[in-house]
C-alpha cells in the first residue's frame, strides 16, 4: 500500500512565525504535491515537484515555498505565517502524470490542520 | 482549462436510500479517479475508470465512465452512515497536464 505521511496532524502557530510542513512517501513516486483545502474553495494546488530539486508553482504559491532534497520528502514552508494561511494542508504523491495514462491516481496524506493566530 | 462539475453539491439522505453523484466535463479525459474524503482526513482513492462505458463496482458503490469519456457517475445502493464524506472526481487536464479535481459532493447519511 502507498503510504504518505505528514509530520503533524494539528499545528498552531503565531503570525509571523516560519512554519515547516513535512511530507514523506514510501512508493518511490516522482511527483509530489501540496494543496490547501478551504470550505467552499475546494482543493487548491500550492506547489508541485516532478523530481528531486524540481518544483513548479501551482495556483496559489504566494506566501509559500517548497523544498525537495530527496525523492521521498517534500516540504512546504510558510516564510511568515499569516492568519489567512489557516487551513487544511494536504500532501499527495503520484507517478508521472500523463494525459493518456490510466494511472494518474494521487495518494494523499492525512492532512495537517494549521491554525495561525 | 477543463472543468469537472459535480452535482449535487450537497446531499443529505436517510440510511438505506440510493443516490447518484455526477461528474461532468465538456472535454475528454483519458481516465477519471473518484476519491472519498472523511472529515479531518485526506482523500482516499476509490477507483479509476479508463474505458468509455466502463462500469466498476466496489461493494455498494457503482462507478460508470461515460461512453465519450466526458462524464462519470457514482451510484451508492442502500447508503450507510459510513458513506458520509466528500466525494471528489479528478483527472488530468490534457491541455495543461495539470491534475484537476471536481467541485465535490458532500454526502451525509443519517442513521
Amino acid at each position: 500500500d502507498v503510504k504518505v505521511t505528514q509530520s503533524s496532524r494539528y499545528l498552531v502557530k503565531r503570525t509571523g512565525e516560519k512554519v515547516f510542513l513535512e511530507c514523506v512517501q514510501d512508493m518511490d513516486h516522482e511527483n509530489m504535491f501540496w494543496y490547501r483545502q478551504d470550505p467552499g474553495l475546494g482543493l487548491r494546488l500550492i506547489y508541485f515537484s516532478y523530481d528531486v530539486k524540481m518544483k513548479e508553482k501551482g495556483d496559489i504559491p504566494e506566501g509559500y515555498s517548497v523544498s525537495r532534497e530527496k525523492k521521498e520528502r517534500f516540504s512546504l514552508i510558510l516564510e511568515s505565517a499569516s492568519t489567512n494561511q489557516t487551513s487544511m494542508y494536504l500532501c499527495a504523491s503520484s507517478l508521472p502524470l500523463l494525459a493518456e495514462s490510466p494511472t494518474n491516481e494521487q495518494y494523499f496524506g492525512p492532512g495537517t490542520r494549521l491554525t495561525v493566530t | 482549462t477543463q472543468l469537472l462539475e459535480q452535482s449535487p453539491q450537497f446531499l443529505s439522505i436517510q440510511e438505506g436510500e440510493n443516490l447518484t453523484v455526477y461528474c461532468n466535463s465538456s472535454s475528454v479525459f483519458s481516465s477519471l479517479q473518484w476519491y472519498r474524503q472523511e472529515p479531518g482526513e485526506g482523500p482516499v482513492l476509490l477507483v479509476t475508470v479508463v474505458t468509455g462505458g466502463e462500469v466498476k463496482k466496489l461493494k455498494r458503490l457503482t462507478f460508470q465512465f461515460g461512453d465519450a469519456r466526458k462524464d462519470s457517475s457514482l451510484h451508492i445502493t442502500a447508503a450507510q452512515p459510513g458513506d458520509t464524506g466528500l466525494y471528489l472526481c479528478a483527472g488530468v487536464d490534457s491541455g495543461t497536464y495539470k491534475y484537476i479535481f471536481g467541485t465535490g459532493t458532500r454526502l451525509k447519511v443519517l442513521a
Side-chain angles (χ1 to χ4, degrees):
Chain A
D1 275 354
V2 177
K3 191 162 186 182
V4 180
T5 57
Q6 294 184 227
S7 49
S8 305
R9 293 299 304 272
Y10 301 94
L11 211 51
V12 180
K13 295 291 182 181
R14 294 201 179 275
T15 301
E17 281 191 83
K18 192 168 186 176
V19 182
F20 292 87
L21 302 182
E22 301 283 331
C23 175
V24 178
Q25 52 96 2
D26 67 358
M27 281 301 292
D28 203 36
H29 281 167
E30 286 80 1
N31 292 345
M32 295 188 76
F33 306 82
W34 276 107
Y35 296 92
R36 63 177 285 178
Q37 187 176 34
D38 302 286
L41 296 177
L43 278 161
R44 292 182 292 169
L45 181 65
I46 304 171
Y47 267 98
F48 72 96
S49 169
Y50 52 90
D51 202 349
V52 175
K53 296 191 186 295
M54 305 305 288
K55 61 185 179 185
E56 291 281 343
K57 292 180 179 179
D59 301 317
I60 51 164
E62 296 79 19
Y64 303 94
S65 62
V66 291
S67 172
R68 192 161 180 205
E69 296 297 318
K70 293 185 178 181
K71 190 174 185 179
E72 68 271 19
R73 189 179 298 270
F74 192 35
S75 302
L76 179 70
I77 303 146
L78 286 65
E79 297 291 342
S80 177
S82 63
T83 54
N84 63 12
Q85 292 179 309
T86 291
S87 186
M88 174 70 141
Y89 289 88
L90 291 162
C91 174
S93 72
S94 78
L95 292 169
L97 297 179
L98 300 171
E100 293 306 311
S101 170
T103 58
N104 288 321
E105 298 100 343
Q106 292 200 357
Y107 296 88
F108 285 84
T112 296
R113 184 160 293 282
L114 172 67
T115 301
V116 183
T117 61
Chain B
T1 303
Q2 297 171 331
L3 292 175
L4 286 170
E5 297 284 342
Q6 288 185 237
S7 61
Q9 191 177 357
F10 299 98
L11 196 53
S12 181
I13 61 171
Q14 293 292 325
E15 182 176 5
E17 290 184 26
N18 301 332
L19 67 117
T20 302
V21 175
Y22 299 94
C23 173
N24 294 301
S25 174
S26 58
S27 301
V28 175
F29 283 78
S30 61
S31 68
L32 280 178
Q33 285 75 47
W34 282 94
Y35 297 83
R36 178 171 64 213
Q37 184 179 16
E38 297 183 14
E41 301 292 333
V44 174
L45 178 69
L46 295 174
V47 79
T48 292
V49 285
V50 180
T51 307
E54 180 178 11
V55 176
K56 281 191 173 178
K57 292 195 173 186
L58 190 67
K59 297 182 181 178
R60 295 175 293 99
L61 278 61
T62 301
F63 303 85
Q64 185 161 8
F65 203 10
D67 291 341
R69 295 187 295 153
K70 292 183 178 182
D71 54 84
S72 182
S73 64
L74 158 59
H75 182 79
I76 302 179
T77 303
Q80 298 178 1
D83 296 326
T84 291
L86 177 68
Y87 289 81
L88 295 162
C89 62
V92 174
D93 181 331
S94 59
T96 64
Y97 290 88
K98 285 186 177 179
Y99 196 73
I100 61 173
F101 287 87
T103 48
T105 294
R106 194 168 293 281
L107 171 66
K108 187 167 186 178
V109 183
L110 305 168

